[in-house]
Amino acid sequence: MADTYDVVIIGGGPGGYNCAIRAGQLGLKTACIEMNDTLGGTCLNVGCIPSKALLHASEYYAAAKNDFAAMGIKTGKVEVDLAQMMAQKADAVDGLTKGVAFLLKKNKVDHVHGKGRITGPGQVEVTAPDGSKQTLSAKNIVIATGSEPSTLPGIEIDEERVVSNTGALSLKAIPKKLVLIGAGVIGLEMGCVWSRLGSEVTVIEYLDRILPGTDNEIAKEAQRTFKKQGLTFKLGTKVTSVEKLKTKLKLTMEPAAGGDAETIDADIVIVAVGRRPYTEGLGLENVGGKTDRRGVIETTDHFKVAPGVWAIGDCIAGPMLAHKAEDDGAAVAELIAGKAGHVDYDLVPGVVYTNPEIATIGKTEEQLKEAGIKYKKGKFPFMANSRARTNHETAGFVKILAEEGTDRILGAHMIGVGVGEMIHEIAIAMEFGASSEDVARTCHAHPTLSEAVRQAAMGVEGWTMQM
Ligand code: NAI
């Protein structure tokens, strides 16, 4: 019988592998079970990383086609080589998944290939791809099984013509007509990729706005910008069926509030209506674990499911984001090692990697109003930022919200080129409980896009200087 592990982690995505690395660093005897051939979970294999590879490449293509001439750069005919674009994407994924395997090894974590199932307290049965079984004994079990795409009733995802994020990242040809169901993060990122590459893109959204949960002003600006880039939005509309005809797909939709149905044709449909926790065959019931109505694993204080059983990442409450899962993972490893481990879900930044990017942290204006919290607002447009103007990238703005009276920063919302990097300035400020004045009085290099963040912070107290 094998030695008992201090920690057995089920799932090798960003939550699981970061938990494993941190546990290894802390000297805990650790195993990480992953059922896929490669580590990295959704993020590395069919999520964050491959989507960013396509976003980056398609952004270069769009720039070469649309913007180079104005900057005095002459090119020949700019064309897409989709096979090569997919190959460089696969290369990025391959390198990074191997990197995770290396990091587990370096931190003395056993990587166990197979599907894990909790059979009782401290017991995890692993079924290998060849069907063979082994049982691992563990003082602590960490569930990091992540999430899977949600589906809609009557719409079958085949990953060929009706696809989830997985199929959307590996289309074999550029669709002429692409329809996205859901104007959330995946809908916008994938819509932008394929629109840049030449698809006619329609985004159908149930609600009367895009990016639910995002600050309204940002969502409105984003919709305006993406519309200008060629995306068509049909808001307040629900898709009731997708008929698979021989040469095309026929979608039937109707107003969410009720009304006459209409149809739209598509070559490819991407279903991006959210994700749900993945807990199939996990054996949660064998340790008394429970899920709520939406399948989210219930945890008591600090990730605890049952004595010696913990859960992290997309399968528990909180934002379904890779970096939140990473932080959960490190926190649980530290708790198991007897240290303090805590993640503040109010300070998890969210980034949509479109062009311009969208980045948010903390409370939106709507949330503050709803909570009756009095706030001041500073706003600065990139149109007035010297670097953005020089780069001919003037779309968007930065908005900072601070509590009236204390001036403590409560939220920041940005849309613009590069804001996915700039948001972290505010993340650190908020971690330290900074005021808007702290950011406003911090010297920022000139000329940088980040000066827009400083100017927005100055705006909270009404002393924006460059506008
Ligand atoms: P989402 O929750 O961001 O958006 C889903 C959208 O679908 C919502 O706008 C919702 O109102 C709409 N919707 C739901 N039912 C519908 C229906 N029947 N008809 C039309 N619209 C409907 O989910 P999404 O985009 O699928 O992404 C899944 C998860 O992956 C999210 O949690 C997201 O945060 C994460 N993700 C994060 C990324 C990032 O951080 N850059 C990139 C991609 C995904």
Side-chain angles (χ1 to χ4, degrees):
M1 164 117 178
D3 293 346
T4 298
Y5 284 100
D6 293 313
V7 193
V8 167
I9 300 157
I10 307 176
Y17 78 72
N18 278 286
C19 183
I21 291 169
R22 189 73 188 111
Q25 283 177 346
L26 292 166
L28 299 168
K29 187 175 162 54
T30 306
C32 182
I33 306 168
E34 171 55 56
M35 63 186 185
N36 289 334
D37 292 344
T38 51
L39 290 158
T42 300
C43 165
L44 254 67
N45 293 285
V46 289
C48 318
I49 297 302
S51 62
K52 262 79 269 176
L54 294 185
L55 278 156
H56 187 65
S58 62
E59 205 172 305
Y60 272 23
Y61 169 67
K65 214 167 67 147
N66 307 326
D67 307 330
F68 276 16
M71 286 191 279
I73 304 167
K74 281 189 177 176
T75 56
K77 190 167 175 231
V78 182
E79 285 175 88
V80 178
D81 176 348
L82 190 62
Q84 177 55 26
M85 204 178 275
M86 291 294 174
Q88 63 86 33
K89 175 203 73 171
D91 199 42
V93 171
D94 185 52
L96 289 169
T97 52
K98 284 188 180 137
V100 174
F102 164 79
L103 287 172
L104 291 192
K105 208 162 165 186
K106 183 181 163 209
N107 288 287
K108 301 190 174 53
V109 174
D110 289 342
H111 168 198
V112 183
H113 190 187
K115 179 159 174 146
R117 176 180 152 77
I118 303 170
T119 49
Q123 300 292 307
V124 182
E125 181 189 78
V126 185
T127 308
D130 66 4
S132 63
K133 291 184 194 292
Q134 63 168 316
T135 296
L136 307 182
S137 301
K139 291 183 197 153
N140 293 278
I141 298 168
V142 179
I143 301 166
T145 47
S147 60
E148 59 181 351
S150 295
T151 48
L152 290 172
I155 299 177
E156 183 218 345
I157 292 176
D158 57 27
E159 298 297 9
E160 290 286 334
R161 292 200 291 165
V162 181
V163 300
S164 68
N165 55 296
T166 304
L169 293 164
S170 301
L171 298 183
K172 293 186 185 69
I174 299 164
K176 204 166 160 322
K177 286 187 177 179
L178 174 68
V179 172
L180 279 131
I181 309 178
V185 193
I186 293 181
L188 292 182
E189 289 188 354
M190 287 298 99
C192 284
V193 164
W194 293 105
S195 159
R196 288 172 197 157
L197 298 182
S199 299
E200 190 185 302
V201 175
T202 305
V203 187
I204 304 174
E205 165 63 46
Y206 186 81
L207 301 174
D208 59 3
R209 56 162 297 165
I210 69 168
L211 290 172
T214 305
D215 190 276
N216 279 351
E217 213 179 345
I218 294 280
K220 276 197 189 126
E221 176 76 4
Q223 190 184 337
R224 210 178 53 80
T225 311
F226 298 137
K227 195 173 159 205
K228 242 176 35 197
Q229 292 176 9
L231 267 63
T232 302
F233 291 97
K234 278 193 85 68
L235 304 183
T237 304
K238 71 173 174 207
V239 177
T240 50
S241 70
V242 178
E243 203 182 333
K244 294 179 188 172
L245 304 175
K246 204 160 173 197
T247 55
K248 62 180 183 188
L249 302 163
K250 197 184 191 84
L251 283 88
T252 305
M253 55 194 170
E254 59 188 39
D260 293 341
E262 57 175 318
T263 60
I264 181 175
D265 292 344
D267 301 306
I268 299 283
V269 171
I270 301 176
V271 182
V273 293
R275 296 179 66 86
R276 61 185 175 210
Y278 178 74
T279 53
E280 193 191 296
L282 180 61
L284 198 58
E285 63 286 357
N286 296 330
V287 283
K290 288 198 186 76
T291 55
D292 71 9
R293 211 167 36 84
R294 295 177 304 123
V296 177
I297 298 177
E298 289 178 3
T299 51
T300 53
D301 83 293
H302 291 90
F303 317 101
K304 285 194 200 89
V305 175
V309 185
W310 314 72
I312 58 172
D314 278 10
C315 64
I316 64 166
M320 282 185 163
L321 295 168
H323 42 286
K324 175 266 193 185
E326 284 178 30
D327 284 14
D328 284 357
V332 161
E334 287 171 0
L335 287 165
I336 291 171
K339 294 173 170 289
H342 177 73
V343 185
D344 184 349
Y345 290 164
D346 275 342
L347 292 186
V348 176
V351 178
V352 188
Y353 298 87
T354 43
N355 184 6
E357 287 180 338
I358 296 161
T360 67
I361 189 164
K363 302 284 186 229
T364 63
E365 279 200 63
E366 296 72 45
Q367 288 169 330
L368 292 176
K369 279 180 193 146
E370 202 181 312
I373 297 169
K374 291 215 162 64
Y375 64 94
K376 284 186 168 183
K377 157 170 151 179
K379 202 174 147 187
F380 192 80
F382 281 104
M383 184 60 100
N385 171 275
S386 55
R387 186 65 183 277
R389 288 186 75 118
T390 312
N391 292 356
H392 313 288
E393 291 174 330
T394 51
F397 59 86
V398 175
K399 177 162 88 173
I400 294 179
L401 307 172
E403 190 176 27
E404 204 177 285
T406 67
D407 192 30
R408 187 186 170 113
I409 301 175
L410 300 176
H413 308 278
M414 313 180 182
I415 175 165
V417 170
V419 296
E421 304 292 338
M422 287 174 233
I423 194 74
H424 301 104
E425 168 174 0
I426 299 297
I428 291 180
M430 288 179 75
E431 272 293 343
F432 282 85
S435 63
S436 77
E437 188 178 355
D438 288 325
V439 175
R441 295 202 183 274
T442 301
C443 185
H444 284 60
H446 173 78
T448 58
L449 298 171
S450 299
E451 285 176 285
V453 177
R454 183 186 195 183
Q455 293 290 330
M458 287 171 161
V460 173
E461 294 292 338
W463 61 293
T464 296
M465 290 168 69
Q466 292 176 2
M467 205 177 67

